[in-house]
Amino acid sequence: MRRLISIALVMALGAVGPLQAAVPDKITLETAKEKGCLGCHEGIESIREETSAMLAAIKALGRPQGDPEGCVVCHGGNPRGLTAAEAHRGVPEKASETGPKTFYPDPGSIWIADATCGQSGCHQGYPYRLERALMNTEAGKIQGNLHTWGIEEVQNYKVPWGNYAVEDTDGLTPTVGTQVYKTYMTKLIEEHPDQLPTKLDQIPLPSVEEIEADPKLAGFTYQRQQCQRCHVGVKGREKRGDYRGMGCSACHIPYGNEGYYEGGDPTIDKEEQGHMLVHRIQGTREAKVKVRDDMVYSGIPVETCNSCHNRGKRIGVTYQGLMEFPYGSPYNEQGKTQPRLHTKQYLFIADDLHHQYDQSRPENPQGGMLCQDCHTTIDIHGDGNIFGTTLAQVEIECQDCHGTPQAFPWELPLGFSEEFGKTLATEARGLGDTLLAETQAYATQYDKQDGYLLSTRGNPLGNVVKDGKKVVLHSATGLDFQVPLLKQLAEDNSWKSPDAMVAMNDVAKHNESMECYACHASWVPQCYGCHVQVNYGKDQDGKPFQDTDWIAGGSERFDDGQTAESPLGTHGHKRPGKVFEKRSYLRWEEPVLGINGEGRVTPLMPGCQIVYTVIDRENKVVALNQLGKSPDEQAALGQARVPDAIDMAPVQPHSVQRKARTCESCHNNPKAMGYGISGGVFQARYPEDIVEDLIDQKNGEPIPGRYQIQIPGIPALDYDWSTIIKDGQQVQTVGTHWPLSRALTKEMRMGMERTGLCMGCHREMSNAELWSKAATEGQLTDEQHIELMNKMFKAYTESVEGKK
């Protein structure tokens, strides 16, 4: 029975699909000898274009195995099989059992990738790297969320858990990268062992009995059911926009948002959702993917990345300009709201400048870049070490391409913009002459011209080159972009506005202490207040609540590389408890500012602002609207108040615009400085239950004897969710991963705060005699007003000088 189920599963998942009437149940031996796997799958797309060296190598390896097309090189199986059962033979019950590793329905699966993508002569080393990278471990997500629940093991920046137990068995030196990079990272690991651990245990799952005794442990149920479905160890949720493969296939095999196959394999059901778009690898500029006769593209589309990057920091959908919203308006032609994508509905705000494509300038197109155009192989696949946070793994900074107004990128020192609070060496990083071995072997190689630009950690950016006075970025889409260089703008005095010149060039402190996107991130998705109910009771039909545990499903693996959650129509293992979520409110404009782990000013977004309610097996509430506490944050800050564990997280929002936020949006904005929206004056009654009925205004008591609480209180929350500074103290967590993360310091806030600036002049407006000497008829424009203030400042300095 197991074997038949496995065969059906295999046909539903990858290179094959459910048999249709037009496909023979059995082929002849002559057909099998002549065509191999194509005896049944004739019409399927070649995994790479016919002219590629990769396809030629695959076919060369396949011929000695009796398969002229080379399918068995990646998929295994028996090309002489006359039936599906014979061709897809020998799938053992579980990976622990003995038996031949024959057929791999998804060769990209990380659990068998050493025998497929990472086999000898192919992408060796990648499976080891990916298994330890954040795409698989999600260690930072686990640490950050559980810290919000008040779990002690993850306090003080500890990262003990990943999705699966894993260990760095080859030492601290990265397996890839230049020697400069390896030296840099070895030192970083030594300085930050908590953020770059050498091993991870699997995230535990407490029993329901333990959770009922200590309700905050429900955070583990929440984590495993809601947060961990996106890692590459599993195939993932079968919802619109969430269809994808496993492991390498999660990124390198295209899946449309609707999940339909549009290729030529006659065995794949084109009306069943959950299949790849076409049987083709997407990746480099040379890897051309043909879909139908009218569509050919290259590179990995942004939406492929967004099958995962649509929750948490939401950087993928933000890059596209999308903000989740509860309404789904406007109505469509059928009078319905928009379809759900990633189970959400969206409002378009503004996509990132790098995502936009201006077709009016084909000679130098702007925008239209893919995620992979910036993010390196190490950002995505890792370097063989274990990373506890995104900041630990990502090696790039904005200045790596754009430089600063005072320095071209190659004139900057290593480590610039990720100083981690330290003074850097002054030597210029220079340019790279040679590519990484991995780039030479697998990526598109571009002429280096004057040299390759380097990442802040010392690796060559193989698609970004200096060409005289220009820097050119070669996109995997086939477009080439000229990168604006800030120093060139300064030298040419070609700033778009005086604001840009002042903010980026004249105010040196900005470049020294701020991330570029502190100003240029035009918006940030701000989902305030995550009200989580974890219910271990029974539904109205008396059935115990339960839901998919993605880690349990991914932990049960078979020799074919599949896991318990992989088959279409299934979701692995159910575990006790079910999560229900609500929000307090949504915003997107003018994010709060704080300090990130590198010690630089950055936008903040609500990370995991969890207030939890837990219901036991008897349907009794054992925890109601509780907040975790953050004593480790209190110790780091050296303050009297223990901050709440709800988190305002430092973020690179991926919402960059050419026009930055205004000076006033920071310097005259209490929200930006951490004091809350409008200074925290709203939503001040969170700690109390609010009753809306006939009220005796003398004492505030309800008049009717029978009434309901309209808004239940959250006893510990004596401030609005957007507030991180109250009465001079930090009241909630700002970043859980790095010691430097925190709210803006008192000194910074004092330097920024200019809320009374207008009153310096305008308090004299009622003094008609005085005002008549300064004012003229009419109203000044903003530019005239600025010019007048500038003249007044110069006049004042001249008067002071005259008095001397």
Side-chain angles (χ1 to χ4, degrees):
M1 182 64 179
R2 162 66 189 167
R3 188 179 183 195
L4 293 176
I5 292 173
S6 295
I7 292 169
L9 156 64
V10 157
M11 293 189 295
L13 282 173
V16 291
L19 293 176
Q20 302 174 39
V23 181
D25 293 329
K26 184 176 181 178
I27 60 175
T28 66
L29 182 60
E30 290 73 21
T31 298
K33 287 182 178 179
E34 177 187 351
K35 297 184 177 181
C37 301
L38 295 192
C40 286
H41 299 285
E42 191 161 18
I44 192 171
E45 304 76 41
S46 296
I47 195 67
R48 281 290 304 272
E49 60 280 4
E50 294 296 331
T51 57
S52 75
M54 179 179 179
L55 185 62
I58 289 173
K59 289 184 176 182
L61 291 170
R63 281 190 286 271
Q65 302 179 55
D67 181 17
E69 295 301 314
C71 305
V72 296
V73 175
C74 298
H75 285 278
N78 176 15
R80 294 285 190 265
L82 306 184
T83 66
E86 292 176 4
H88 312 145
R89 70 170 189 258
V91 181
E93 184 68 17
K94 292 185 179 179
S96 59
E97 298 181 7
T98 59
K101 292 183 178 179
T102 53
F103 183 77
Y104 304 120
D106 186 344
S109 170
I110 194 173
W111 309 119
I112 47 86
D114 276 330
T116 55
C117 303
Q119 64 182 285
S120 178
C122 296
H123 301 275
Q124 286 180 280
Y126 277 79
Y128 180 89
R129 291 166 55 192
L130 186 58
E131 187 177 0
R132 286 150 185 79
L134 288 172
M135 291 277 195
N136 187 53
T137 69
E138 295 188 296
K141 183 197 296 184
I142 293 171
Q143 191 267 354
N145 178 54
L146 292 179
H147 185 279
T148 300
W149 287 77
I151 303 301
E152 294 178 4
E153 289 88 340
V154 298
Q155 294 181 3
N156 295 308
Y157 319 108
K158 302 294 184 184
V159 186
W161 298 311
N163 287 325
Y164 311 103
V166 67
E167 189 169 355
D168 183 0
T169 58
D170 63 359
L172 299 182
T173 303
T175 60
V176 297
T178 63
Q179 187 55 52
V180 171
Y181 171 81
K182 292 178 179 179
T183 300
Y184 185 102
M185 288 305 298
T186 302
K187 184 178 180 182
L188 187 65
I189 295 169
E190 291 172 349
E191 293 173 344
H192 299 282
D194 293 329
Q195 287 72 31
L196 294 109
T198 56
K199 66 173 293 187
L200 298 170
D201 294 322
Q202 186 173 51
I203 176 176
L205 180 62
S207 67
V208 179
E209 291 83 359
E210 291 174 308
I211 294 168
E212 289 173 341
D214 186 0
K216 71 174 180 290
L217 298 180
F220 288 96
T221 298
Y222 176 76
Q223 192 81 43
R224 294 171 66 118
Q225 289 185 3
Q226 293 294 306
C227 305
Q228 304 312 112
R229 64 176 173 79
C230 281
H231 66 283
V232 297
V234 298
K235 191 174 174 68
R237 182 176 61 174
E238 295 167 23
K239 301 288 186 181
R240 182 173 182 265
D242 298 335
Y243 297 109
R244 59 176 176 82
M246 302 172 65
C248 310
S249 302
C251 299
H252 289 287
I253 300 297
Y255 280 72
N257 277 350
E258 308 302 330
Y260 291 113
Y261 176 64
E262 297 185 19
D265 189 334
T267 72
I268 301 180
D269 187 346
K270 293 182 174 61
E271 298 304 318
E272 181 182 52
Q273 291 180 291
H275 296 288
M276 60 192 173
L277 182 64
V278 288
H279 180 255
R280 195 76 145 206
I281 287 176
Q282 59 186 18
T284 67
R285 180 181 280 202
E286 281 88 5
K288 306 297 184 184
V289 181
K290 183 177 181 181
V291 186
R292 305 178 309 278
D293 292 329
D294 59 343
M295 171 57 67
V296 178
Y297 73 91
S298 61
I300 300 174
V302 172
E303 190 59 27
T304 293
C305 305
N306 286 356
S307 66
C308 283
H309 292 281
N310 59 73
R311 190 168 168 164
K313 293 182 179 178
R314 298 164 171 82
I315 57 175
V317 285
T318 301
Y319 186 65
Q320 293 176 309
L322 302 179
M323 166 78 182
E324 64 189 75
F325 220 59
Y327 305 117
S329 53
Y331 294 110
N332 63 21
E333 292 180 350
Q334 291 76 40
K336 297 180 180 180
T337 57
Q338 62 176 263
R340 291 188 178 274
L341 178 64
H342 318 301
T343 71
K344 307 174 184 72
Q345 294 171 312
Y346 289 96
L347 183 68
F348 181 82
I349 307 297
D351 56 339
D352 191 288
L353 172 67
H354 302 83
H355 180 264
Q356 299 163 11
Y357 177 49
D358 182 2
Q359 299 186 49
S360 66
R361 302 175 63 184
E363 75 286 352
N364 181 26
Q366 301 297 311
M369 289 169 55
L370 304 174
C371 305
Q372 73 186 96
D373 292 334
C374 285
H375 288 288
T376 68
T377 179
I378 289 173
D379 288 0
I380 298 166
H381 305 108
D383 67 2
N385 289 320
I386 297 172
F387 300 94
T389 77
T390 304
L391 190 58
Q393 183 168 337
V394 173
E395 66 168 320
I396 57 169
E397 296 288 345
C398 303
Q399 294 91 339
D400 294 351
C401 287
H402 295 283
T404 71
Q406 293 76 38
F408 290 113
W410 48 91
E411 296 173 337
L412 294 172
L414 291 170
F416 188 87
S417 198
E418 65 165 27
E419 297 84 358
F420 295 101
K422 295 189 175 181
T423 301
L424 302 177
T426 57
E427 295 84 10
R429 68 180 69 169
L431 295 165
D433 289 325
T434 58
L435 296 169
L436 296 181
E438 289 72 21
T439 306
Q440 295 181 47
Y442 310 121
T444 302
Q445 295 186 46
Y446 301 99
D447 190 331
K448 70 175 182 178
Q449 302 295 337
D450 299 332
Y452 301 106
L453 271 63
L454 300 178
S455 76
T456 193
R457 297 180 180 179
N459 279 325
L461 304 175
N463 64 324
V464 189
V465 300
K466 179 180 181 292
D467 184 5
K469 283 191 169 185
K470 298 186 299 183
V471 165
V472 177
L473 181 145
H474 301 288
S475 169
T477 62
L479 295 173
D480 298 320
F481 300 94
Q482 184 173 332
V483 179
L485 297 172
L486 298 182
K487 185 175 179 180
Q488 198 66 55
L489 292 176
E491 290 181 351
D492 297 343
N493 194 25
S494 56
W495 302 103
K496 293 292 184 181
S497 72
D499 292 356
M501 180 186 68
V502 171
M504 302 182 75
N505 188 65
D506 295 352
V507 184
K509 193 67 175 177
H510 282 175
N511 283 319
E512 295 170 5
S513 62
M514 297 174 65
E515 299 285 8
C516 301
Y517 46 85
C519 292
H520 282 278
S522 58
W523 66 282
V524 175
Q526 298 160 59
C527 185
Y528 287 107
C530 188
H531 300 264
V532 175
Q533 179 196 119
V534 188
N535 194 326
Y536 299 94
K538 300 176 179 63
D539 64 18
Q540 60 184 5
D541 297 323
K543 296 180 180 179
F545 281 115
Q546 58 179 359
D547 209 346
T548 298
D549 183 329
W550 295 99
I551 304 307
S555 297
E556 184 178 0
R557 303 163 198 152
F558 306 102
D559 242 18
D560 58 3
Q562 300 296 287
T563 65
E565 59 74 46
S566 298
L568 282 176
T570 68
H571 291 97
H573 294 290
K574 303 286 186 179
R575 289 290 185 266
K578 188 173 180 63
V579 174
F580 301 89
E581 288 183 297
K582 299 291 183 182
R583 303 287 186 260
S584 283
Y585 59 90
L586 301 173
R587 306 282 288 211
W588 63 81
E589 72 283 45
E590 295 181 345
V592 183
L593 296 178
I595 301 172
N596 64 16
E598 297 167 327
R600 283 181 167 254
V601 175
T602 182
L604 303 179
M605 70 180 299
C608 294
Q609 287 192 325
I610 287 176
V611 51
Y612 61 89
T613 294
V614 180
I615 299 175
D616 70 10
R617 288 169 291 181
E618 302 302 320
N619 283 20
K620 295 180 180 179
V621 176
V622 293
L624 178 63
N625 294 333
Q626 296 295 302
L627 298 179
K629 288 294 182 180
S630 186
D632 57 334
E633 196 86 348
Q634 179 192 24
L637 294 169
Q639 64 179 35
R641 176 165 177 158
V642 180
D644 293 314
I646 58 174
D647 178 32
M648 285 287 282
V651 64
Q652 208 295 31
H654 292 64
S655 60
V656 166
Q657 301 295 318
R658 181 174 285 106
K659 180 175 174 58
R661 61 190 293 177
T662 65
C663 306
E664 294 83 1
S665 73
C666 295
H667 290 273
N668 195 30
N669 186 350
K671 178 188 174 185
M673 285 180 276
Y675 301 135
I677 295 171
S678 295
V681 300
F682 302 124
Q683 311 209 39
R685 294 176 63 187
Y686 272 124
E688 61 184 275
D689 294 334
I690 295 179
V691 175
E692 290 300 323
D693 209 318
L694 305 180
I695 301 295
D696 183 349
Q697 293 298 112
K698 297 191 302 294
N699 53 28
E701 295 294 325
I703 294 173
R706 297 177 63 177
Y707 62 86
Q708 295 186 57
I709 295 171
Q710 183 67 35
I711 306 175
I714 305 174
L717 192 66
D718 61 346
Y719 53 88
D720 175 57
W721 299 99
S722 65
T723 301
I724 55 176
I725 295 292
K726 181 180 179 181
D727 299 329
Q729 298 200 68
Q730 186 174 310
V731 294
Q732 61 173 298
T733 298
V734 176
T736 67
H737 303 307
W738 297 82
L740 292 179
S741 298
R742 60 192 59 195
L744 298 175
T745 65
K746 181 179 179 181
E747 291 74 23
M748 282 183 168
R749 299 195 308 273
M750 289 178 62
M752 289 173 60
E753 198 165 9
R754 294 292 181 267
T755 55
L757 190 61
C758 302
M759 299 306 295
C761 297
H762 288 276
R763 67 180 177 183
E764 301 293 345
M765 287 188 71
S766 60
N767 187 333
E769 180 182 356
L770 180 62
W771 196 253
S772 65
K773 297 176 181 178
T776 58
E777 287 295 324
Q779 190 175 45
L780 296 178
T781 66
D782 189 50
E783 291 76 14
Q784 290 171 330
H785 191 275
I786 291 171
E787 186 62 28
L788 177 62
M789 295 295 293
N790 186 254
K791 289 180 179 178
M792 290 170 61
F793 174 73
K794 290 180 178 178
Y796 173 74
T797 57
E798 291 171 359
S799 67
V800 171
E801 185 65 26
K803 291 178 180 178
K804 292 181 180 179

